[in-house]
Coordinates of all heavy atoms in Angstrom, one line a residue:
R226 N 93.8 106.9 90.8 CA 94.0 108.1 91.6 C 92.6 108.5 92.1 O 91.6 108.2 91.5 CB 94.7 109.2 91.0 CG 94.0 109.9 89.9 CD 95.0 111.0 89.3 NE 95.4 112.0 90.3 CZ 96.1 113.0 90.0 NH1 96.5 113.2 88.8 NH2 96.5 113.9 91.0
H227 N 92.6 109.2 93.3 CA 91.3 109.6 93.9 C 90.8 110.8 93.1 O 91.5 111.8 92.9 CB 91.5 110.0 95.3 CG 90.2 110.5 95.9 ND1 89.1 109.8 96.1 CD2 89.9 111.8 96.2 CE1 88.2 110.5 96.6 NE2 88.6 111.7 96.7
L228 N 89.5 110.7 92.7 CA 88.9 111.8 92.0 C 87.7 112.3 92.9 O 86.7 111.6 93.1 CB 88.3 111.4 90.7 CG 89.2 110.7 89.7 CD1 88.5 110.1 88.6 CD2 90.2 111.8 89.2
P229 N 87.8 113.5 93.5 CA 86.7 114.1 94.3 C 85.5 114.3 93.4 O 85.7 114.8 92.2 CB 87.2 115.4 94.8 CG 88.7 115.3 94.7 CD 89.0 114.5 93.5
L230 N 84.3 113.9 93.9 CA 83.1 114.1 93.0 C 83.0 115.5 92.6 O 82.7 115.8 91.4 CB 81.9 113.7 93.9 CG 80.6 113.9 93.2 CD1 80.3 112.9 92.1 CD2 79.4 113.8 94.3
A231 N 83.2 116.5 93.5 CA 82.9 117.9 93.1 C 84.0 118.4 92.1 O 83.7 119.4 91.5 CB 82.9 118.7 94.4
A232 N 85.1 117.7 92.0 CA 86.1 118.2 91.0 C 85.8 117.6 89.7 O 86.0 118.2 88.6 CB 87.5 117.7 91.5
V233 N 85.3 116.3 89.6 CA 85.1 115.7 88.4 C 83.8 116.2 87.7 O 83.7 116.3 86.5 CB 84.9 114.1 88.6 CG1 84.3 113.4 87.5 CG2 86.2 113.5 89.1
A234 N 82.8 116.6 88.6 CA 81.6 117.1 88.0 C 81.3 118.4 88.7 O 80.5 118.6 89.6 CB 80.5 116.1 88.4
P235 N 81.9 119.5 88.2 CA 81.8 120.8 88.8 C 80.4 121.3 89.0 O 80.0 122.1 89.9 CB 82.6 121.8 87.9 CG 83.5 120.9 87.1 CD 82.8 119.6 87.0
A236 N 79.5 120.8 88.1 CA 78.1 121.3 88.2 C 77.4 120.9 89.5 O 76.5 121.6 90.0 CB 77.3 120.7 87.0
I237 N 77.9 119.8 90.1 CA 77.3 119.3 91.4 C 78.0 120.1 92.6 O 77.5 120.0 93.7 CB 77.4 117.8 91.6 CG1 76.5 117.3 92.7 CG2 78.8 117.3 91.9 CD1 75.1 117.3 92.3
A238 N 79.1 120.7 92.3 CA 79.9 121.3 93.5 C 79.1 122.2 94.4 O 79.2 122.1 95.6 CB 81.1 122.0 92.9
E239 N 78.2 123.0 93.8 CA 77.4 123.9 94.6 C 76.5 123.2 95.5 O 76.0 123.8 96.5 CB 76.6 124.8 93.6 CG 77.4 125.8 92.9 CD 77.8 127.0 93.7 OE1 76.9 127.6 94.4 OE2 79.0 127.3 93.7
H240 N 76.2 122.0 95.2 CA 75.2 121.2 95.9 C 75.9 120.0 96.7 O 75.3 119.0 96.9 CB 74.1 120.6 95.0 CG 73.5 121.6 94.0 ND1 72.6 122.5 94.5 CD2 73.8 121.9 92.8 CE1 72.3 123.3 93.5 NE2 73.0 123.0 92.4
S241 N 77.1 120.2 97.0 CA 77.9 119.1 97.6 C 78.6 119.5 98.8 O 79.0 120.7 99.0 CB 78.9 118.5 96.6 OG 79.9 119.5 96.4
L242 N 78.8 118.6 99.7 CA 79.7 118.7 100.8 C 80.7 117.5 100.6 O 80.3 116.4 100.5 CB 79.1 118.5 102.2 CG 78.0 119.3 102.7 CD1 76.7 118.6 102.4 CD2 78.1 119.5 104.2
T243 N 82.0 117.8 100.7 CA 83.0 116.7 100.6 C 83.6 116.7 102.0 O 84.2 117.7 102.5 CB 84.0 117.0 99.5 OG1 83.3 117.2 98.3 CG2 85.0 115.9 99.4
L244 N 83.6 115.5 102.6 CA 84.2 115.3 103.9 C 85.5 114.6 103.8 O 85.6 113.5 103.1 CB 83.2 114.5 104.8 CG 81.8 115.1 105.0 CD1 80.9 114.1 105.8 CD2 81.9 116.5 105.6
M245 N 86.5 115.2 104.4 CA 87.9 114.6 104.3 C 88.6 114.7 105.7 O 88.1 115.4 106.5 CB 88.7 115.4 103.3 CG 88.3 115.2 101.8 SD 89.3 116.1 100.7 CE 89.0 115.2 99.2
A246 N 89.7 114.1 105.8 CA 90.4 114.1 107.1 C 91.8 113.5 106.9 O 92.0 112.7 106.0 CB 89.7 113.3 108.1
P247 N 92.8 113.9 107.8 CA 94.1 113.3 107.7 C 94.1 112.0 108.5 O 95.1 111.3 108.6 CB 95.0 114.3 108.4 CG 94.1 115.1 109.3 CD 92.7 115.1 108.7
S248 N 92.9 111.7 109.2 CA 92.9 110.6 110.2 C 93.3 109.2 109.7 O 94.0 108.5 110.4 CB 91.6 110.6 111.0 OG 90.5 110.6 110.0
K249 N 92.7 108.8 108.6 CA 93.0 107.5 108.1 C 94.4 107.4 107.5 O 95.2 106.5 107.8 CB 92.0 107.0 107.1 CG 90.5 107.0 107.6 CD 90.3 105.9 108.6 CE 89.1 106.2 109.4 NZ 88.8 105.4 110.5
T250 N 94.7 108.4 106.6 CA 96.0 108.4 105.9 C 97.2 108.4 106.8 O 98.1 107.7 106.6 CB 96.0 109.6 105.0 OG1 94.8 109.7 104.3 CG2 97.2 109.5 104.0
F251 N 97.1 109.3 107.8 CA 98.3 109.5 108.7 C 98.1 108.8 110.1 O 98.9 109.1 111.0 CB 98.6 111.0 108.8 CG 98.9 111.6 107.5 CD1 98.0 112.3 106.8 CD2 100.2 111.4 106.9 CE1 98.3 112.9 105.6 CE2 100.5 112.0 105.7 CZ 99.5 112.7 105.0
N252 N 97.1 108.0 110.2 CA 96.8 107.3 111.4 C 96.7 108.1 112.7 O 97.4 107.8 113.7 CB 97.8 106.1 111.6 CG 97.2 105.0 112.4 OD1 96.0 104.8 112.4 ND2 98.1 104.3 113.2
I253 N 95.9 109.1 112.6 CA 95.6 110.0 113.7 C 94.1 110.1 114.1 O 93.7 111.2 114.4 CB 96.3 111.4 113.6 CG1 95.9 112.0 112.2 CG2 97.8 111.3 113.8 CD1 96.4 113.4 112.0
P254 N 93.3 109.0 113.9 CA 91.9 109.2 114.2 C 91.6 109.6 115.6 O 90.5 110.2 115.9 CB 91.3 107.8 113.8 CG 92.4 106.9 114.0 CD 93.7 107.7 113.6
G255 N 92.4 109.3 116.6 CA 92.2 109.6 118.0 C 92.3 111.1 118.2 O 92.0 111.6 119.3
L256 N 92.8 111.9 117.2 CA 93.0 113.3 117.4 C 91.8 114.2 116.9 O 91.8 115.4 117.0 CB 94.3 113.8 116.7 CG 95.5 113.2 117.4 CD1 96.8 113.7 116.6 CD2 95.6 113.7 118.8
G257 N 90.7 113.5 116.4 CA 89.5 114.2 116.1 C 89.6 115.4 115.2 O 89.4 116.5 115.7
M258 N 90.1 115.2 114.0 CA 90.3 116.3 113.1 C 89.8 116.0 111.7 O 90.3 115.0 111.2 CB 91.8 116.6 113.1 CG 92.3 117.3 111.9 SD 91.8 119.0 111.9 CE 92.1 119.5 110.2
S259 N 88.9 116.7 111.2 CA 88.5 116.5 109.8 C 87.9 117.8 109.3 O 87.9 118.8 110.0 CB 87.4 115.4 109.8 OG 86.3 115.7 110.4
F260 N 87.5 117.8 108.1 CA 86.9 119.1 107.5 C 86.0 118.7 106.4 O 86.0 117.7 105.8 CB 88.1 119.9 107.0 CG 89.0 119.3 106.0 CD1 88.8 119.5 104.6 CD2 90.1 118.5 106.4 CE1 89.6 119.0 103.7 CE2 90.9 117.9 105.4 CZ 90.7 118.2 104.1
A261 N 85.1 119.7 106.1 CA 84.2 119.7 105.0 C 84.7 120.7 103.9 O 85.1 121.8 104.3 CB 82.8 120.0 105.4
V262 N 84.6 120.4 102.7 CA 84.8 121.4 101.6 C 83.4 121.6 101.0 O 82.8 120.7 100.5 CB 85.8 120.9 100.6 CG1 86.0 122.0 99.5 CG2 87.1 120.4 101.2
V263 N 83.0 122.9 101.2 CA 81.6 123.2 100.8 C 81.6 124.4 99.9 O 81.6 125.6 100.4 CB 80.7 123.5 102.0 CG1 79.2 123.5 101.6 CG2 80.9 122.4 103.1
P264 N 81.7 124.2 98.6 CA 81.8 125.4 97.6 C 80.6 126.3 97.6 O 80.7 127.5 97.4 CB 82.0 124.7 96.3 CG 82.5 123.3 96.5 CD 81.8 122.9 97.8
G265 N 79.4 125.7 97.8 CA 78.2 126.5 97.7 C 77.9 127.4 98.9 O 77.9 126.9 100.0
V266 N 77.7 128.7 98.7 CA 77.6 129.6 99.8 C 76.3 129.2 100.7 O 76.4 129.1 101.9 CB 77.6 131.1 99.4 CG1 77.2 132.0 100.5 CG2 78.9 131.4 98.7
P267 N 75.2 129.0 100.0 CA 74.0 128.7 100.9 C 74.1 127.5 101.7 O 73.8 127.4 102.9 CB 72.8 128.6 99.9 CG 73.3 129.2 98.6 CD 74.8 129.1 98.6
L268 N 74.7 126.4 101.1 CA 74.9 125.2 101.8 C 75.9 125.3 102.9 O 75.7 124.8 104.1 CB 75.4 124.1 100.8 CG 75.3 122.6 101.3 CD1 73.9 122.2 101.8 CD2 75.8 121.7 100.2
R269 N 77.0 126.1 102.6 CA 78.0 126.3 103.7 C 77.4 127.1 104.8 O 77.7 126.8 106.0 CB 79.2 127.0 103.1 CG 80.4 127.1 104.0 CD 81.7 127.4 103.3 NE 81.7 128.7 102.8 CZ 81.8 129.1 101.5 NH1 81.8 128.2 100.6 NH2 81.8 130.4 101.2
Q270 N 76.6 128.1 104.5 CA 76.0 128.9 105.6 C 75.0 128.0 106.4 O 75.0 128.1 107.7 CB 75.2 130.1 105.0 CG 76.2 131.2 104.7 CD 75.6 132.3 103.9 OE1 74.5 132.2 103.4 NE2 76.3 133.4 103.8
R271 N 74.3 127.1 105.8 CA 73.4 126.2 106.6 C 74.3 125.3 107.5 O 73.9 125.0 108.6 CB 72.6 125.3 105.6 CG 71.4 126.1 105.0 CD 70.2 125.2 104.7 NE 70.5 124.2 103.6 CZ 70.6 124.5 102.3 NH1 70.4 125.7 101.9 NH2 70.9 123.5 101.5
L272 N 75.4 124.8 107.0 CA 76.3 124.0 107.8 C 76.8 124.8 109.0 O 76.7 124.3 110.1 CB 77.5 123.5 106.9 CG 78.5 122.7 107.7 CD1 78.0 121.4 108.3 CD2 79.7 122.3 106.8
L273 N 77.3 126.0 108.7 CA 77.8 126.8 109.8 C 76.8 127.1 110.9 O 77.0 127.1 112.1 CB 78.5 128.1 109.3 CG 79.8 127.8 108.5 CD1 80.2 129.1 107.7 CD2 80.9 127.3 109.4
K274 N 75.6 127.3 110.4 CA 74.5 127.6 111.3 C 74.1 126.4 112.2 O 73.9 126.5 113.4 CB 73.2 128.1 110.5 CG 72.2 128.7 111.3 CD 71.1 129.4 110.5 CE 69.9 129.7 111.3 NZ 68.7 129.4 110.7
A275 N 74.1 125.2 111.5 CA 73.8 124.0 112.3 C 74.9 123.7 113.3 O 74.6 123.1 114.4 CB 73.7 122.8 111.3
M276 N 76.1 124.1 113.0 CA 77.2 123.8 113.9 C 77.3 124.8 115.1 O 77.8 124.5 116.2 CB 78.6 123.9 113.2 CG 78.8 122.8 112.2 SD 80.2 123.1 111.2 CE 81.6 123.1 112.4
A277 N 76.8 126.1 114.9 CA 77.1 127.1 115.9 C 76.5 126.8 117.2 O 75.3 126.4 117.4 CB 76.4 128.4 115.4
G278 N 77.3 126.8 118.2 CA 76.9 126.6 119.6 C 76.6 125.1 119.9 O 76.1 124.8 120.9
F279 N 76.9 124.3 118.9 CA 76.6 122.8 119.0 C 77.8 121.9 118.8 O 78.0 121.0 119.6 CB 75.5 122.6 118.0 CG 74.9 121.2 118.0 CD1 74.1 120.8 119.0 CD2 75.2 120.3 117.0 CE1 73.6 119.5 119.0 CE2 74.7 119.0 117.0 CZ 73.9 118.6 118.0
T280 N 78.5 122.2 117.8 CA 79.6 121.3 117.4 C 80.9 121.9 118.0 O 81.3 123.1 117.7 CB 79.8 121.3 115.9 OG1 78.5 121.0 115.4 CG2 80.8 120.2 115.5

Side-chain angles (χ1 to χ4, degrees):
R226 69 184 303 185
H227 175 70
L228 303 171
L230 174 72
V233 169
I237 197 74
E239 290 284 309
H240 311 285
S241 72
L242 302 95
T243 303
L244 303 177
M245 293 179 157
S248 50
K249 300 292 161 191
T250 314
F251 298 101
N252 205 30
I253 48 173
L256 292 178
M258 156 70 195
S259 65
F260 58 94
V262 183
V263 194
V266 174
L268 192 59
R269 191 162 69 243
Q270 278 170 349
R271 283 209 294 285
L272 173 63
L273 291 169
K274 193 166 165 223
M276 291 171 66
F279 182 73
T280 309

